[in-house]
Amino acid sequence: MHRFIYIAILFFLFGKQTVFSQEISNAIVAKDTLKTEEINPLAPSKAAFYSAIVPGLGQAYNKKYWKIPIVYGAIGTSLYFYISNNKKYHKYRDAYKQRLAGEKDEFDYLDDNRLIQAQRFYQRNRDLSLLITVGFYVLNIVDANVDAHLLQFNVSDKLSFQPEVYQNDINYKTNLGLTLNYKF
């Protein structure tokens, strides 16, 4: 019996040694069918930084070039309204100051209350336009950051979430629903 245990231990030791000492030559290695890309955790912060420096640059970094005209259109339009309302505000304010100084102004047909109301109107619109401009600027940064985060997700065709329109069997009215499909 002892002899059998010694032989088993010898086979175990030498058998294990031979497994480790073998070389792999011409071995067939199965490749993973899923395409795995390396995740860059700094990409979202880099895209946000680029968008903070120059609006639209983060979208270009994410290769979403179609978003750049939208960014510049939104920021440019709100800046246009800011500048326009600022000019009109200063125009009515200067006219009111001239009237208080006893000089003639270009708004002879308006009384003092109308000049004050016009100043307040254009001042409010100017401030609102500036707030909207800052909002679009921040939205540009957030969009670049979120888009860079979402680029790192593995989206597969196996998972789908789609609307479904079907007819009710009882009253034959069309119903709207959502289906969640997962293919194995």
Side-chain angles (χ1 to χ4, degrees):
M1 183 73 172
H2 294 287
R3 193 174 197 183
F4 179 71
I5 293 175
Y6 291 129
I7 293 174
I9 290 174
L10 284 176
F11 275 123
F12 178 74
L13 290 175
F14 288 120
K16 193 137 178 99
Q17 228 174 9
T18 58
V19 170
F20 286 127
S21 66
Q22 291 179 352
E23 293 182 16
I24 299 174
S25 61
N26 298 330
I28 298 174
V29 179
K31 292 185 179 180
D32 191 8
T33 57
L34 292 177
K35 191 177 190 182
T36 57
E37 296 180 13
E38 189 174 323
I39 294 176
N40 182 6
L42 296 178
S45 61
K46 192 182 281 189
F49 177 72
Y50 288 160
S51 273
I53 297 297
V54 177
L57 194 60
Q59 283 76 10
Y61 175 75
N62 291 335
K63 294 181 178 65
K64 301 287 180 160
Y65 303 109
W66 63 273
K67 291 183 180 182
I68 297 172
I70 295 171
V71 168
Y72 279 107
I75 293 175
T77 302
S78 57
L79 269 177
Y80 167 76
F81 282 114
Y82 171 77
I83 293 168
S84 173
N85 287 321
N86 191 35
K87 283 181 184 178
K88 289 178 183 176
Y89 165 71
H90 284 292
K91 192 176 190 179
Y92 281 101
R93 189 187 69 170
D94 292 341
Y96 183 67
K97 284 181 178 181
Q98 287 175 351
R99 191 171 289 181
L100 288 178
E103 301 173 9
K104 283 260 250 195
D105 60 274
E106 63 181 294
F107 299 109
D108 291 336
Y109 55 91
L110 295 177
D111 61 345
D112 291 344
N113 288 333
R114 294 289 179 186
L115 282 176
I116 292 172
Q117 285 178 352
Q119 285 180 52
R120 287 182 185 159
F121 175 76
Y122 287 115
Q123 183 182 18
R124 184 177 57 103
N125 286 347
R126 178 195 65 179
D127 296 343
L128 186 61
S129 297
L130 182 63
L131 187 65
I132 290 171
T133 302
V134 170
F136 280 135
Y137 176 72
V138 170
L139 186 64
N140 157 55
I141 296 169
V142 169
D143 174 62
N145 190 356
V146 169
D147 196 30
H149 271 291
L150 292 178
L151 284 177
Q152 297 179 2
F153 282 106
N154 184 12
V155 180
S156 174
D157 290 336
K158 292 181 179 181
L159 182 64
S160 65
F161 190 65
Q162 56 192 357
E164 181 179 352
V165 178
Y166 60 94
Q167 191 174 22
N168 191 347
D169 293 334
I170 297 171
N171 57 5
Y172 299 108
K173 290 185 179 179
T174 57
N175 293 333
L176 205 61
L178 294 174
T179 59
L180 177 67
N181 298 325
Y182 184 74
K183 297 176 187 172
F184 293 98

